[in-house]
Amino acid sequence: MKDFLKDWEEVSFVIFYGSQLGQAKSIAEGLVDVAEENDFKTKAFELNAIKDVNDLTKLTCPVVIVTSTTGDGEPPENADKFWRKIRKKALSPTALQSLKYTLLGLGDTNYNNFCNCGKEINRRLQGLSASTFYAPAWADDAIGLELVVDSWIENLWPALESIIRPDSNQSITTMAKTLTVPSCPAVSLKLEWLEDGSGDASTPSKVDLRNPLAPYPLIEDDPVAVKLTKARVLSRSGALKTAVELTVEFSEQSFKFEPGDAINIVCPNPINEVNQLLERLQLLGKAKRTLQLSVKEGTKGKIPVFLPATITLLDAFLYYFDIRSCPKKIFLRLLAEYTSEENEKSKLLELCSRQGSTAFEETIRFASLSLLDLLLTFPSCMPPVEALLEHLPRLIPRAYSISSSPLTNANEFTFAFNVATFSKENGRQYERLGICTGWLSQKGRSLLKKSSSGSDNIDSDLDAAMSALTIKSENEDVDSNEEIIVYRRKNQNFRLPEDIKAPIVMVGPGTGVAPFIGFIQHRAILKEKGESAGDMFLYFGCRYKAKDFLYEDELKSFENGGLTKFYPVFSRDDPQATVKYVQHRMDENKQEVIETLFNQGGYLYVCGDAKNMAKDVRDVLIKCVQSVKEVSEGEAKTLVAELATQKRYLQDIWS
Ligand SMILES: Cc1cc2nc3c(=O)[nH]c(=O)nc-3n(C[C@H](O)[C@H](O)[C@H](O)COP(=O)(O)OP(=O)(O)OC[C@H]3O[C@@H](n4cnc5c(N)ncnc54)[C@H](O)[C@@H]3O)c2cc1C
Ligand SMILES: Cc1cc2nc3c(=O)[nH]c(=O)nc-3n(C[C@H](O)[C@H](O)[C@H](O)COP(=O)(O)O)c2cc1C
């Protein structure tokens, strides 16, 4: 980790970032590039580089903080130590009175604690007498970070100008104009093709996904290889999404878990998409040749920390880079630099400009276009591969909630997922499945093939989903391999209460029901052993009872044992129904919900796809508190916030 105290004297302001998946980091790095263009010198450091909060008083220059929030309102991993330090009560209330700062918080309003990390840091800095030179802002990933980020950055420069160079007559408008299109990110990597068979150096580093060069995000225990043993399709014919459950096996010593834990699965990109990408870059012929990367002399770039410096292009794109994630504006700027046809170039420049924010949202982000989509849309764009190797984000393992209890079997667990499918429309140039769910469903399909007597008996839904693919894996060896690499995710608050008698309310529509299967199994077994478990209420929702009622048999059987009450709700079965979604059912049962949570010390768990559901559940909960407890909206919000602070309102949501 860089030491900011060694470097700050050379700069006109310092940037600190806290970033889990790279968005805040890339904004911070973008600021470094644009700062230079505006005659400012700056450097970006992780927030954890601040070893002692008092060191901030040694800075005589302003500070810009960009931080996201992760988990359930928690700081990203590279900001957690700073977060702990700054909250220490022993700090003097005037400790940071000389500090001038501003802060950009990234968050998502689907989560309970919107921008909690940024807001807490801001509150604490104020409490330590630091002052802002420019108003902090909160960007919402649910609607598009750009909506806040672009204008905040645009106005940051004049604010910095007035504090750093108060006498300068550089016009603000000139600076704003320069900012219309971000400056092109530098390409500092040099690529050298090694002669095949010319000795050790030409042997690519072995791809070792269990021992990555840089730790995977949110890693709790070392990655382990586990074996897929069973697959079943949970949805039925005609369901909008195909839901699959996989079972994995391992030795009890190698992997330990509790109900509610989530695992991260290390997955590769689809081989055909990688081949198509290499073909488009006119590099297919060199896909398996070994290359060596180095940093051009006199430049500041670096080889991505997660990438072996000696590798084949095929391995680099298969295992290390996210070739699917939606490109950021700064990446479009890079592509524009290597686009020869004028119309195409100006379109790319428009899309990455400040003025092009709406077009960017509507054409790039809405359809979540991939790198390959863009290269197929802009045929004259031919970026050098080293530019891609320097600027593409890392391929990140995907998270899945464990849907079983170790009391049922400590040597295996199950998890469930919807196969993500994206059709060829809205600018997407090819049909595709989700990177991880596509790969897993292929493995599931091959397991089903093996377990059935012949391919005719394969589950037709999974088969249909797989054969609908345009880009299919050609590499059956890879995809039928039953071993997958997983690790347990950090920040596990989503667990059963320690007190087995505490009642719980579980809200899990769709695959969000997964962890609750584990919860119910767990308590049911403890009950069988003679323990008296608290009440368990489950709210489950889906579209059609006949098509996507996941775990229907298990849930019904739990009604005779583990579950106190089960409240399923189907949104499309009856067009006249007013009770369509889980939150409507909760509203109907408000007396029971509020009694359980507020009078009996109960816990509320919400799990599933975050798009609106988690927010709607929170809004209804506030309404229920207001109505049952006869309090104002403000008081109800405070009571709900207290529930979250006491870790009795827990969410495991994704979007
Ligand atoms: C803590 C946690 C627990 C989770 N548990 C589960 C679980 O139990 N079950 C489960 O199924 N999932 C779960 N998820 C979600 C899961 O991790 C993956 O995000 C999901 O399975 C998709 O992964 P993928 O690689 O298949 O898709 P990707 O290839 O990553 O595709 C998803 C991408 O598609 C893009 N996209 C989204 N909507 C559209 C659209 N309409 N058009 C175009 N592109 C779009 C998005 O930008 C996203 O990046 C969980 C996530 C978290 C954080
Ligand atoms: C697992 C996970 C948990 C999150 N938790 C929160 C949260 O509690 N509050 C919030 O405002 N945003 C939350 N977010 C949204 C992120 O803060 C937001 O997407 C941000 O842009 C990510 O930036 P980063 O890539 O720099 O980490 C969460 C995102 C993920 C993936």
Side-chain angles (χ1 to χ4, degrees), residues 191 193 207 267-271 273-279 281 283 286-287 291 306-307 311-324 331 371 375 383-395 435:
L191 180 154
W193 296 103
V207 174
C267 55
N269 285 306
I271 179 111
E273 193 166 333
V274 170
N275 282 337
Q276 250 196 308
L277 179 63
L278 291 173
E279 192 173 6
L281 294 169
L283 285 166
K286 290 182 167 172
L291 60 86
F306 53 84
L307 185 71
I311 191 162
T312 67
L313 268 187
L314 186 67
D315 285 345
F317 283 117
L318 254 186
Y319 300 110
Y320 294 95
F321 290 102
D322 191 339
I323 58 170
R324 203 54 103 54
F331 195 81
L371 170 62
L375 292 177
V385 72
E386 51 271 37
L388 302 180
L389 297 179
E390 188 166 352
H391 292 288
L392 274 173
R394 183 181 190 178
L395 180 58
I435 289 183

Side-chain angles (χ1 to χ4, degrees), residues 18-26 67-74 76 106-117 139 141 145 218 489 651-654:
S19 183
Q20 192 59 49
L21 294 179
Q23 307 215 71
K25 184 176 182 211
S26 98
T67 186
S68 66
T69 295
T70 192
D72 214 353
E74 280 134 38
L106 309 188
D108 183 328
T109 45
N110 284 301
Y111 291 85
N112 253 336
N113 296 301
F114 176 57
C115 283
N116 190 50
C117 176
D141 209 5
L145 295 172
L218 293 171
R489 262 173 90 89
Q651 297 190 130
D652 214 357
I653 55 176
W654 58 88

Side-chain angles (χ1 to χ4, degrees), residues 9 15 56 89 127 159 187 208 235 254 313 391 397 407 424 437 471 528 541 581:
E9 278 173 350
I15 303 170
L56 286 171
K89 296 217 169 74
V187 177
D208 184 359
S235 51
S254 66
L313 268 187
H391 292 288
L407 295 184
K424 183 180 169 184
T437 55
I471 295 186
E528 274 169 28
Y581 301 110

Side-chain angles (χ1 to χ4, degrees), residues 367-368 398-401 416-418 422 428 434-437 652 654:
S368 196
R398 307 301 202 246
Y400 297 91
S401 312
F417 58 90
N418 281 322
F422 306 111
R428 288 192 294 266
I435 289 183
C436 190
T437 55
D652 214 357
W654 58 88

Side-chain angles (χ1 to χ4, degrees), residues 494-497 504-507 516 519 603-606 650:
F494 204 81
R495 293 219 167 129
L496 278 166
I504 61 175
V505 177
M506 300 166 283
V507 183
F516 304 136
F519 278 9
Y603 287 64
L604 174 64
Y605 297 88
V606 181
L650 297 158

Side-chain angles (χ1 to χ4, degrees), residues 49-353:
I50 304 169
K51 296 273 161 24
D52 179 342
V53 174
N54 291 309
D55 284 347
L56 286 171
T57 58
K58 296 180 184 152
L59 296 177
T60 52
C61 64
V63 163
V64 174
I65 299 172
V66 184
T67 186
S68 66
T69 295
T70 192
D72 214 353
E74 280 134 38
E77 280 176 300
N78 54 14
D80 56 355
K81 294 191 183 78
F82 173 70
W83 167 268
R84 283 197 291 276
K85 281 176 194 148
I86 201 166
R87 284 149 61 109
K88 281 198 177 134
K89 296 217 169 74
L91 289 169
S92 150
T94 53
L96 297 181
Q97 61 185 344
S98 60
L99 180 72
K100 302 229 175 325
Y101 76 99
T102 186
L103 190 149
L104 174 64
L106 309 188
D108 183 328
T109 45
N110 284 301
Y111 291 85
N112 253 336
N113 296 301
F114 176 57
C115 283
N116 190 50
C117 176
K119 287 183 176 173
E120 280 290 308
I121 290 177
N122 186 43
R123 203 170 300 133
R124 193 63 185 128
L125 290 175
Q126 294 284 315
L128 298 172
S129 304
S131 55
T132 52
F133 67 90
Y134 172 51
W138 319 110
D140 183 0
D141 209 5
I143 52 167
L145 295 172
E146 277 85 9
L147 295 179
V148 166
V149 173
D150 283 1
S151 58
W152 188 83
I153 292 181
E154 187 189 338
N155 293 316
L156 170 67
W157 305 111
L160 280 166
E161 183 72 18
S162 63
I163 187 170
I164 297 169
R165 297 186 285 242
D167 302 329
S168 140
N169 56 6
Q170 189 161 2
S171 123
I172 289 167
T173 12
T174 334
M175 298 186 71
K177 243 189 188 166
T178 332
L179 268 181
T180 300
V181 171
S183 59
C184 183
V187 177
S188 321
L189 292 190
K190 214 167 62 184
L191 180 154
E192 189 192 345
W193 296 103
L194 299 179
E195 285 308 316
D196 287 331
S198 66
D200 281 351
S202 69
T203 313
S205 308
K206 205 167 161 286
V207 174
D208 184 359
L209 301 174
R210 272 184 67 181
N211 295 295
L213 291 177
Y216 292 125
L218 293 171
I219 186 158
E220 180 85 345
D221 307 321
D222 286 342
V224 289
V226 295
K227 190 177 168 212
L228 290 172
T229 53
K230 272 179 260 165
R232 69 172 166 144
V233 180
L234 298 172
S235 51
R236 299 202 195 98
S237 172
L240 183 72
K241 294 177 185 165
T242 302
V244 179
E245 184 198 66
L246 294 178
T247 305
V248 300
E249 195 183 79
F250 45 87
S251 72
E252 198 181 334
Q253 291 73 30
S254 66
F255 187 86
K256 301 226 178 293
F257 69 102
E258 285 188 33
D261 281 355
I263 41 145
N264 270 14
I265 298 184
V266 180
C267 55
N269 285 306
I271 179 111
N272 278 27
E273 193 166 333
V274 170
N275 282 337
Q276 250 196 308
L277 179 63
L278 291 173
E279 192 173 6
R280 168 63 183 77
L281 294 169
Q282 298 177 1
L283 285 166
L284 196 54
K286 290 182 167 172
K288 292 185 181 164
R289 270 189 67 183
T290 307
L291 60 86
Q292 188 149 36
L293 289 171
S294 56
V295 178
K296 286 182 206 158
E297 243 171 71
T299 61
K300 290 185 303 186
K302 50 182 190 287
I303 300 168
V305 284
F306 53 84
L307 185 71
T310 312
I311 191 162
T312 67
L313 268 187
L314 186 67
D315 285 345
F317 283 117
L318 254 186
Y319 300 110
Y320 294 95
F321 290 102
D322 191 339
I323 58 170
R324 203 54 103 54
S325 69
C326 183
K328 310 247 176 324
K329 281 186 168 184
I330 196 80
F331 195 81
L332 295 189
R333 176 65 190 87
L334 181 77
L335 294 184
E337 197 65 13
Y338 300 101
T339 303
S340 52
E341 212 272 308
E342 267 319 306
N343 281 343
E344 292 179 15
K345 189 179 183 113
S346 46
K347 184 71 199 161
L348 281 167
L349 287 173
E350 184 202 324
L351 284 166
C352 69
S353 71

